[in-house]
Amino acid sequence: MNSDEISGIVFDCDYIVEGNKPLVRVFVKDAKTKQNIVLHDSSFCPYFYVVPYLYLTDEQAFLLKKKIELFEHDDISGTLKVKSVKEEEKTMGLQKRRVFRVECFIPKEVPLLKAHLEKEEEIEGFREYDILFYKRYLIDRNIELFRQMHFKVHHEKKTGRFFVDSIKADKNSPLVDFSLFRWLAFDLETIEESGKTKIIFASIVDSSGCKTVITCYRNGYEHAVVVEDEKSIIEKMGEIIKKQNPDFILTYNGDNFDFNVLEDRAKTFGIKLQWSSIGENFTYFSKGARKKAQCFGLVHIDIYKFVFSIMRGTIKSETLKLNNIAKELLGDEKKDVSYSDISHAWRTKTNLSKIADYCVHDSVLTLKLGEHIFANLSSLSNLVCQLPFDTCRASYGTLVEAFAIRKAHEKNIIVPNKPSNEEMVKRKQKGMFKGAFVYSPKVGLKKNIALFDFRSLYPSIIITHNIDIDTINCKCCLKTAKKKNKVPDYDFYFCQKQKGFIPSILEEIIFLRVKIKKIIKETRDTKMLKKLDAQQYALKIVANAFYGYMGFAGSRFYDYRAAVSTTSFGRHYIHKVIEEAKEEGFRVVYGDTDSVFLSLPKKNMKKINKFLDHINNSLPGIMDLEYEGFFTKGLFAQKKHGEGGAKKRYALVDENGNIIIKGFEKVRRDWSVLARQTQEKVLELLLSDKTEEAKNYVRDVIDKLKTKKVPIEELVINTNLKKSISSYEQMAPHVMAVKKAIARGMKFKGGQNIAYVVTAKGKSISDKAQLAEFANDYDSQYYINNQIIPVVSRIFEAVGVQELSLTDNSKQKNIFEY
DNA sequence: TATAGGCATACGAACATTATCTA
DNA sequence: TAGATAATGTTCGTATGCCT
């Protein structure tokens, strides 16, 4: 046996079972040779923890340990035995506890063994039994994903395998580049034929420059590979992919669409999706509604999933369709082809090269998006110690949980269990808890606004006040903390002696982020900057998700009191800033959660800095108020119903004249393009004192609507169908439009975007609503009264143009309708 | 098996009130 | 003028998507 050292980057991992032994497989890329190697590790076995009751004597504990060691159970599938039991001391809720680490032979025995041991009376509970084996491996072996790792290995001649002897991570090496890997994106075009979805085009584009479209029809497209039939398309795909030998397969919604079709068609034709160079097959599995297509050593990244769960909050496009996302993130021009175009082209065998071109374009966009998100995906993957396959499919909750589990292992802490279903129901029944404070704005146009906000308000509070499940109302500082660290609106206080687990790991994140931000300031290399920025961003989103995670019913670290304490301190601090600002003679214009808008007679940096210092000198811990910037104008509109200004909707003009719009219909995707554009234009004109022009602009729009000169595309309203059509209580316009489309034979799923138009035919608005593709006229009165007037009238009112909404016999009429 | 809550707004549904029509 | 019916107004709940 030769001993050897292999250095490389880990980007995939799984396990196989051989002779009743688990064998972890680690997929590693050698950064120098760019060769991939599969490393095997036979040294790791599955385990979970048994927590014996605290009151057990040493002898009783010893007997329990023996009992577990000797456990044996026979059934048809064989004998269930324990591999070994080790006594360990672990931290549970700030307490040191004696636990038994119960090791099993193979991973699937973990839940079986736990179930058998549940009846033992000496056992208080079980921990960490639901952490997947390969995830456990990544954590326990301190694998640094996308960073250089060093493996001592030996080669086994008989099998040709490399076995891992020891692992060392190079924590200071930078995260690797996109260009280190080979990437391949594919896309399918399909048609529905006799109730089946059939593949007619498959495009493949990869990072080495390969650009192919496979079809069984001669279409004249330059990159086309023409084959016999649908079966051959799938086979040819496999052939090309195998030859190109990528490390990553990129799709846009491949989990739910492309692989779904592929799996079905491949099964029909009796083909295996064996695309990997090491002979592994793709497996397609579903857990509830969630579907995944996976292949060891050929990592499938579904970009749509990442966009949907992680990036959605930052996306502005109406829908998350590939074209929209590519346009927003890459600035790529749209090539829109609808399903009916495709099926028409296919039936008539005309324009097929256009469809082929479109198919390739989709793969090109997917590949480009893959490059675009790589820095973020790899940073997150590294931070939370999860495979890129899992990271791109993770929700915020999963990310926080994974990060916490990793840190807990580092600190010799056992994490709490996931809640049972009943427990989750109980938590949800507690109802919503009190959240942030929002200052009601005064209506009107304000000048010279200085904007302040707290840096990472909730993480700062959790760290500063040591908010954690284990630090609430501790006995050790009953006298002191009750006075010094009491929650403003509640009777809780938090320990001041021992740092809680969550505050301590949050603190690490915050400090690391500060450190990276400092390095960013000194870095010139753009490639490096992008990586560092992605790293600080990953830290930011994980830190910000912690508070929400503590209040999430499905969380391992759920605590109602911790969550309400966090928001309570938040309200306390923002009120403090508002009060002090008033005392200093500032006029408070607005504020939301962690921000305060103050208006000044004129820009005065001396005053601003003095106020900032004054506040920060009195803030405890790492609480920090920051000066965000100065705005020459700010517009706050009247609420439609009730008194006062509308919260969470305003427009600001910065010193360079840029307009920032928050909350108004302009930024809402469930309003027509016409309404959004009109509102934006009106805001723009009014904020530059062009009142008459603004009025004329609106008059012009109304006129165009009356004379039907507005193209119907601008009147399409996008709304998300959030659930299945049958579960709607209320027949809203988009729901009715869908119902009518279903009557025509179309199918809809929850989560789909619905584009509809309010047509002229019908009684109520819902009656008039039709899917955009079926609408060929529109109701001008609806668009005037329900789309244009509402979005501009209160903005005009805010700048003092009152005579707008003259009501006449309760039918809305106004100066625009001369 | 959506990290949290706060907020504005639209529209439907159900009901209350008023206007209009009829006998 | 009582009673029926349509039109209009009010209130409430559902639904969506934003803000921090």
Side-chain angles (χ1 to χ4, degrees), chain A residues 720-767:
Chain A
N720 207 307
L721 189 72
K722 290 216 162 190
K723 44 190 181 183
S724 68
I725 199 80
S726 56
S727 39
Y728 275 90
E729 283 182 51
Q730 197 128 251
M731 295 301 119
H734 71 292
V735 180
M736 283 302 284
V738 166
K739 281 203 157 183
K740 287 170 208 162
I742 288 173
R744 291 182 184 227
M746 287 176 75
K747 281 185 179 153
F748 292 86
K749 272 187 269 178
Q752 231 174 299
N753 177 70
I754 307 301
Y756 70 93
V757 171
V758 176
T759 65
K761 253 187 239 139
K763 244 181 143 188
S764 66
I765 297 166
S766 294
D767 255 359

Side-chain angles (χ1 to χ4, degrees), chain A residues 457-512:
Chain A
L457 178 70
Y458 288 159
S460 305
I461 287 172
I462 294 170
I463 296 165
T464 300
H465 296 284
N466 200 21
I467 294 176
D468 192 82
I469 318 169
D470 305 319
T471 53
I472 293 186
N473 296 347
C474 67
K475 288 197 181 105
C476 61
C477 17
L478 191 61
K479 278 181 189 162
T480 51
K482 219 171 178 172
K483 276 185 196 149
K484 288 189 180 162
N485 202 13
K486 188 193 162 295
V487 181
D489 302 332
Y490 300 89
D491 273 335
F492 322 133
Y493 62 90
F494 291 92
C495 181
Q496 288 191 298
K497 283 184 184 153
Q498 246 186 310
K499 205 173 263 180
F501 172 60
I502 286 176
S504 74
I505 62 176
L506 257 180
E507 192 169 35
E508 283 180 39
I509 295 183
I510 300 285
F511 286 173
L512 185 55

Side-chain angles (χ1 to χ4, degrees), chain A residues 594-606:
Chain A
D594 62 353
S595 65
V596 191
F597 297 59
L598 303 180
S599 81
L600 286 73
K602 61 176 179 65
K603 190 177 180 185
N604 183 343
M605 280 318 288
K606 223 175 170 181

Side-chain angles (χ1 to χ4, degrees), chain A residues 14 83 86 165 193 262 282 555 632 640 656 727 783:
Chain A
D14 79 344
K83 190 178 179 205
K86 286 178 191 138
D165 296 318
E193 219 175 71
L262 267 171
F282 261 93
S555 162
T632 55
K640 186 170 188 186
N656 301 318
S727 39
Y783 283 96

Side-chain angles (χ1 to χ4, degrees), chain A residues 11-12 247-250 282 295-301 388-389:
Chain A
F11 64 101
D12 205 10
D247 304 315
F248 287 91
I249 291 264
L250 298 168
F282 261 93
C295 175
F296 174 65
L298 183 46
V299 181
H300 173 209
I301 303 294
F389 176 85

